[in-house]
Amino acid sequence: MASRVNDERAPELKGFRDVQRLAYACAEAVAARLKPGVTERDAARMQREWLRERGVRDWFHLPFAWFGDRTAFTGFKVPLQFFPTNRQLEPGMPFILDMAPVYRGFTADIGYSGCLGLHPLHDRLLADLEVHRELILREVRERRPLREIYEDVERLMIRQGYANRHRAYPFGVIAHKVDRVAERRWSPHVFGFGTQSLKGLLSDAVHGHRDGWSPLWSPYRFSDHPPQPGLWAVEPHLGFRGTGAKFEEILVVTDSRDPEQSAFWLDDDLPHVRRWAEERVAA
Amino acid sequence: MSLRDLPGARERRVATGGIELCVVELGEATRPTIVLVHGYPDSKEVWTQVARQLAEQWHVVLYDVRGHGSSTAPVPLRGGFTLEKLTDDFLAVVDAVSPDRPVHVVGHDWGSVQAWEFATVSRTEGRIASFTSMSGPSLDHFGHWIKQRVARPTPRRVGQLLGQGAKSWYVYMLHTPVLPELAWRGPLGKRWPGILERLEKVPPGDYPTASLPDDAAHGAWLYRDNVRTRLRRPRADAYAHVPVQLITPTGDIFLSEQLYDDLESWVPQLTRRTLPAKHWVPRTRPDQLASWIAEFAAANEAAPQGGIPVRDTAPKGAHADRFGGQLVLVTGAAGGIGRATAFAFAEAGARVVAVDRDADGAARTAELARLIGAPAAWAETVDVSDEQAMEKLAEKVAAEYGIVDVLVNNAGIGLSGSFLETTAEDWRHVLDVNLWGVIHGCRLFGKQMAERGQGGHIVNTASAAAYQPSRALPAYSTSKAAVLMLSECLRAEFAEKSIGVSAVCPGIVNTNITATTHFAGTDAAQEQRLRKRTSKLYGVRNYPPEKVAEAILRAVVRNQAVVPVTPESHAARFLSRLSPGTLRGIARLKPPL
């Protein structure tokens, strides 16, 4: 039965997996080109151009880049502060690249944390994200209400000594649904968000509201329901005194009764997952 | 203790310009050299304790400045004490004790004034590796400082001029002929040790030495030969060619802190330190000085050999000048205010002992503290209410990490519920942790601080509930009110030992305390519901523990007695003094739970 679920969705999942890989490849390529003096705007443009050259025409949201203490969202109050600024990268600074391209009708939304040079604290944060990935998957499989999982993630962060920075995200979300996006010749974006994807999210919200669920995974009451089948872009974000780190990738939730198949990460061959594996080997 | 009691001290005499200097060396001569220069009216014995500690790792050199101690005096005295001649002396000593390697210079008072000359004239270039200055400005910088303030006299600058002018009364006195000599050889010389003990809290002992009246009489020429000429015509090129560490005692009655405001323009590589002490720090704070001197010298030994330069290793957090290298112990450090406080001290460069009964949480705090700037951090698992465990902790900390400079008694638990529902067991538990935990901390670590006799600070976390009565928190408020009173009593007693005591009253802060608070007279389900509800209220209030940590560091720096933190805590404190009846009225209200 497990494989049947997989088979049915296999072509669709492959499309999502491809675009997620493309986005991570972009992040790694751009990260490799970052050097002192590059601004957040430059980094965002580099991501945009790299993906455009490879056929991306639409976006769930335009690429972001945060440098230095902006990786921990220090002083973030209004959503406009998310947009790339002229902050320059300096040696030893952490950075986050975040992008959500739409490719052949499939969406990805990824977050990539890196650092220009050695930064033991940043390494620690990245390493500590691993348990969050495990915790989220385990609790989704247990079909715990999303709001409760959110609170458990936050509790874990506080126990680790960190601040929960996705509190600063719009609606405080830790994840949002992603879906296929209709390809249109003209796909404008407003405030950095693609209108086609927003339309999808909005229609999910309307339907969900009727059935008692929400496409946003947040600490609020509207997320007080078990995980809804579909694809969720999950993005736990740790902040600690001016240094921040996150990952973002797609979690597949199905209505299968087999726990293994009821939820799984779309792809396990991603930079942060490889990094944890390498660290384990080194240890 | 005088130098002669120091094990391994080697004395020699160095001839220079017709006089003989008495030079003493300690420690292995193959190691890098630290030269300690004394001030007025001292002799090299002022450094005894500092030298003894440094000698474990360094080659330490002390000498009596010409005309002081066992060195001979120039004839005639007039004109024999110019900074140029003192520089000759210094170079002669350095050539004798460390011919092929630059030395680290440390100067106190006039020793520092001299050493500023050494660090800023070209003929010593390459002979000095670093300079640690305390309580002695460069006369050239001082001259420029005065000129700038006279040239553009804003009210603030005039205030600074008059303030320093008043503090320099003794400089004018020393310019009178003959009288100072008579005073020193007569009554002042006899009374001086007593004056130092009383005003400066210098510990009694065999310092100053018997040569004091002569030293002081000769040393008057330090002032007469240099002050007027330098202040009138300060050198324009008095830039330091070595890294400088400036240690400023905040209670110095002879020098104001503003003297060093513009120092960055003269010193390209400046590290600032502040010390809550009076003028004679080599006698009253030898441990702290030895550790800062050694740390700075070591950093500058590493730098020329491809190591990390001093600037980058210096901590950048708030009050780093004050807490760098100090030992700070925080209880309840696994979360909330305790953890945030440990991190704030770590960012200021302090060494941190994180204590909690939650071993994992304390270990985590210590690990992150190291990552954000603490040179060292350790975790200790102790229940603060356990007297024997606390005694063991105090012994272990003293033996392995040293005497605590700042103690933060923060561990505490919540207890809510009306008096009639609070059981004797509840009472015992909350008093054991909240009050006895603080008593044990103050008793054990406070005793160690007092015995060391080099100052320190104790912070006790009380609560706004300490002065805000409430029908919902009788036991908790009682325990916290006791902590507040204990802190104030202790503050009175410890003042004479230069140990400050502060009580911090945070108010409603978003921490884990609400999730573990016991609600008396409720069953498990009800308690869980109430915990959730209060946690939510505290979450909505969302006052971050980091701000309490900032207030704690500030309280230590300013030695504040009672520190309300949140606005509601301030308001309650204000009302408790202005109109306690209002607070009693509020106390009758049922809490919205």
Side-chain angles (χ1 to χ4, degrees):
Chain A
M1 177 176 145
S3 57
R4 196 166 55 88
V5 176
N6 249 353
D7 286 347
E8 264 175 27
R9 304 200 56 171
E12 195 182 33
L13 289 186
K14 184 177 179 308
F16 282 107
R17 201 174 290 129
D18 285 347
V19 60
Q20 181 165 286
R21 283 199 177 165
L22 182 74
Y24 267 108
C26 169
E28 286 188 310
V30 170
R33 284 168 54 204
L34 293 180
K35 30 178 200 294
V38 171
T39 66
E40 290 180 352
R41 285 207 172 100
D42 297 336
R45 189 179 322 111
M46 283 149 79
Q47 298 173 55
R48 229 163 42 222
E49 283 165 2
W50 195 95
L51 288 167
R52 280 233 176 88
E53 282 166 16
R54 283 155 188 83
V56 170
R57 291 287 167 270
D58 194 8
W59 310 88
F60 179 82
H61 67 71
L62 288 173
F64 291 120
W66 303 299
F67 292 171
D69 63 357
R70 283 173 52 83
T71 56
F73 291 172
T74 305
F76 275 32
K77 291 272 191 294
V78 290
L80 282 178
Q81 288 168 307
F82 280 86
F83 288 100
T85 64
N86 282 327
R87 165 76 64 92
Q88 291 189 348
L89 198 60
E90 291 165 21
M93 248 191 196
F95 60 82
I96 292 177
L97 306 177
D98 190 307
M99 68 195 97
V102 177
Y103 182 63
R104 295 184 184 152
F106 297 98
T107 315
D109 194 347
I110 67 129
Y112 180 91
S113 297
C115 192
L116 198 66
L118 290 176
H119 197 314
L121 176 61
H122 188 256
D123 290 348
R124 185 74 250 177
L125 284 158
L126 273 183
D128 285 332
L129 276 170
E130 185 175 10
V131 278
H132 288 278
R133 194 173 185 264
E134 287 158 8
L135 174 93
I136 290 166
L137 182 61
R138 189 174 64 243
E139 297 203 346
V140 168
R141 282 177 175 171
E142 288 166 8
R143 286 295 187 264
R144 304 267 299 274
L146 292 181
R147 187 187 183 185
E148 259 183 54
I149 306 176
Y150 183 101
E151 284 165 357
D152 285 346
V153 169
E154 183 167 88
R155 256 194 289 277
L156 176 58
M157 287 179 178
I158 290 169
R159 214 168 39 243
Q160 288 176 328
Y162 304 135
N164 164 5
R165 291 320 297 160
H166 45 255
R167 277 259 178 218
Y169 283 69
F171 304 104
V173 296
I174 190 179
H176 57 84
K177 273 198 82 174
V178 291
D179 221 326
R180 301 196 59 156
V181 175
E183 286 185 284
R184 295 272 189 282
R185 183 172 298 178
W186 189 64
S187 48
H189 37 81
V190 283
F191 292 116
F193 285 86
T195 45
Q196 296 300 335
S197 314
L198 282 185
K199 246 164 54 187
L201 210 54
L202 201 66
S203 96
D204 266 355
V206 171
H207 288 125
H209 185 67
R210 227 176 280 153
D211 306 337
W213 61 275
S214 158
L216 298 178
W217 179 345
S218 80
Y220 303 113
R221 196 169 299 148
F222 60 75
S223 295
D224 216 350
H225 57 80
Q228 188 68 20
L231 275 66
W232 292 81
V234 188
E235 47 185 335
H237 190 155
L238 306 175
F240 185 58
R241 305 186 100 84
T243 305
K246 71 179 276 192
F247 69 79
E248 182 170 13
E249 54 173 308
I250 289 176
L251 178 73
V252 185
V253 179
T254 69
D255 43 18
S256 163
R257 269 190 228 146
D258 173 16
E260 292 267 313
Q261 286 302 318
S262 68
F264 52 90
W265 294 105
L266 178 64
D267 192 353
D268 277 326
D269 190 19
L270 299 177
H272 49 275
V273 185
R274 284 198 296 269
R275 185 190 159 101
W276 295 326
E278 281 162 18
E279 271 167 7
R280 228 166 302 141
V281 170
Chain B
M1 179 183 280
S2 77
L3 273 185
R4 301 214 162 52
D5 306 324
L6 283 176
R10 310 177 290 279
E11 193 176 308
R12 66 158 108 177
R13 304 195 65 85
V14 173
T16 157
I19 57 159
E20 273 195 349
L21 298 174
C22 173
V23 180
V24 164
E25 290 173 77
L26 292 165
E28 280 178 40
T30 49
R31 295 200 179 130
T33 308
I34 296 182
V35 179
L36 306 169
V37 191
H38 70 79
Y40 176 88
D42 294 317
S43 57
K44 62 182 181 311
E45 282 75 11
V46 77
W47 292 113
T48 314
Q49 287 147 302
V50 177
R52 191 172 39 198
Q53 293 188 39
L54 288 174
E56 289 167 17
Q57 301 289 332
W58 302 82
H59 174 218
V60 181
V61 174
L62 313 103
Y63 67 96
D64 282 319
V65 172
R66 49 170 62 203
H68 293 70
S70 313
S71 296
T72 57
V75 185
L77 289 169
R78 177 189 296 273
F81 286 87
T82 58
L83 285 170
E84 289 77 11
K85 288 187 178 161
L86 295 167
T87 309
D88 294 342
D89 291 356
F90 169 74
L91 283 172
V93 171
V94 170
D95 285 343
V97 296
S98 175
D100 350 291
R101 205 166 169 183
V103 299
H104 302 274
V105 188
V106 179
H108 173 249
D109 187 85
W110 254 95
S112 171
V113 176
Q114 290 182 53
W116 272 112
E117 176 83 359
F118 311 157
T120 54
V121 294
S122 58
R123 63 188 173 125
T124 54
E125 259 177 76
R127 301 297 292 124
I128 304 177
S130 80
F131 167 35
T132 296
S133 160
M134 50 196 96
S135 292
S138 154
L139 289 181
D140 300 299
H141 300 167
F142 193 8
H144 288 290
W145 186 88
I146 294 172
K147 281 195 168 171
Q148 282 168 1
R149 275 153 189 79
V150 172
R152 292 188 52 209
T154 61
R156 194 167 141 265
R157 290 170 149 217
V158 172
Q160 289 178 352
L161 264 181
L162 293 177
Q164 182 55 48
K167 285 186 171 184
S168 298
W169 56 271
Y170 62 98
V171 179
Y172 323 128
M173 301 289 281
L174 283 164
H175 278 80
T176 11
V178 191
L179 280 178
E181 279 89 338
L182 285 177
W184 279 112
R185 291 191 205 276
L188 186 57
K190 278 199 201 77
R191 297 231 174 107
W192 189 245
I195 295 175
L196 280 190
E197 269 177 49
R198 212 171 42 250
L199 294 182
E200 284 280 327
K201 305 216 173 84
V202 170
D206 57 2
Y207 186 83
T209 52
S211 62
L212 170 78
D214 287 330
D215 298 348
H218 291 153
W221 288 99
L222 287 167
Y223 293 87
R224 294 168 188 163
D225 278 350
N226 296 299
V227 173
R228 263 182 302 176
T229 46
R230 285 299 175 105
L231 292 192
R232 205 176 293 150
R233 271 188 303 280
R235 286 189 296 133
D237 61 344
Y239 296 100
H241 49 69
V242 294
V244 177
Q245 169 172 243
L246 177 77
I247 300 176
T248 315
T250 50
D252 197 322
I253 55 166
F254 303 113
L255 299 156
S256 58
E257 288 177 68
Q258 286 81 31
L259 263 182
Y260 306 107
D261 281 354
D262 319 320
L263 203 56
E264 268 82 3
S265 58
W266 295 107
V267 184
Q269 277 193 61
L270 180 67
T271 304
R272 287 178 185 265
R273 305 274 186 203
T274 53
L275 195 55
K278 297 190 172 182
H279 182 76
W280 260 274
V281 280
R283 303 301 300 178
T284 56
R285 298 286 185 276
D287 290 5
Q288 182 65 78
L289 292 191
S291 107
W292 278 342
I293 291 166
E295 191 189 319
F296 188 68
N300 285 293
E301 275 296 310
Q305 290 154 20
I308 304 161
V310 165
R311 274 224 158 151
D312 291 344
T313 57
K316 292 171 187 70
H319 309 300
D321 59 335
R322 171 74 162 74
F323 298 116
Q326 293 207 325
L327 184 64
V328 177
L329 185 140
V330 183
T331 67
I337 294 171
R339 182 175 256 177
T341 304
F343 289 158
F345 276 113
E347 280 180 329
R351 296 175 298 138
V352 176
V353 186
V355 177
D356 204 288
R357 58 180 178 178
D358 165 11
D360 292 342
R364 184 86 199 167
T365 303
E367 186 194 347
L368 290 177
R370 274 192 299 272
L371 285 172
I372 57 173
W378 306 272
E380 296 290 343
T381 316
V382 172
D383 181 346
V384 292
S385 64
D386 181 342
E387 183 180 342
Q388 281 167 357
M390 284 293 276
E391 272 170 16
K392 267 193 205 139
L393 174 74
E395 278 169 31
K396 184 181 176 193
V397 168
E400 292 179 16
Y401 318 137
I403 303 297
V404 171
D405 294 297
V406 180
L407 166 71
V408 184
N409 286 309
N410 164 74
I413 52 167
L415 173 62
S416 180
S418 73
F419 176 78
L420 289 178
E421 282 166 339
T422 307
T423 64
E425 196 43 48
D426 290 338
W427 272 99
R428 247 188 298 278
H429 188 47
V430 78
L431 289 178
D432 271 350
V433 177
N434 290 5
L435 178 58
W436 274 101
V438 175
I439 295 176
H440 293 321
C442 292
R443 207 168 49 83
L444 298 162
F445 292 101
K447 191 169 166 223
Q448 292 178 356
M449 275 185 204
E451 278 172 359
R452 179 176 66 164
Q454 297 187 36
H457 203 101
I458 298 175
V459 180
N460 294 329
T461 305
S463 165
Y467 39 75
Q468 156 92 69
S470 153
R471 60 182 290 166
L473 299 163
Y476 180 78
S477 306
T478 304
S479 71
K480 291 300 188 180
V483 169
L484 181 61
M485 183 50 88
L486 164 66
S487 308
E488 298 215 62
C489 295
L490 198 61
R491 183 179 170 87
E493 180 179 335
F494 275 10
E496 64 179 16
K497 302 191 188 304
S498 305
I499 298 171
V501 181
S502 306
V504 175
C505 304
I508 296 176
V509 177
N510 191 8
T511 69
N512 210 24
I513 193 168
T514 46
T516 52
T517 293
H518 174 49
F519 289 80
T522 57
D523 59 31
Q526 247 179 326
E527 180 166 68
Q528 208 48 44
R529 193 178 56 78
L530 285 169
R531 278 179 180 172
K532 258 197 152 162
R533 219 175 132 70
T534 33
S535 297
K536 201 174 162 194
L537 282 175
Y538 274 52
V540 170
R541 171 73 185 84
N542 203 19
Y543 195 89
E546 285 75 18
K547 281 200 180 178
V548 184
E550 278 170 35
I552 287 178
L553 267 70
R554 206 164 45 235
V556 178
V557 169
R558 298 184 185 163
N559 191 15
Q560 291 165 307
V562 181
V563 186
V565 184
T566 59
E568 62 269 17
S569 182
H570 273 284
R573 172 90 175 141
F574 181 72
L575 273 180
S576 73
R577 300 161 80 182
L578 182 78
S579 165
T582 312
L583 280 192
R584 283 182 213 121
I586 295 172
R588 292 176 182 213
L589 300 175
K590 276 201 170 178
L593 285 174

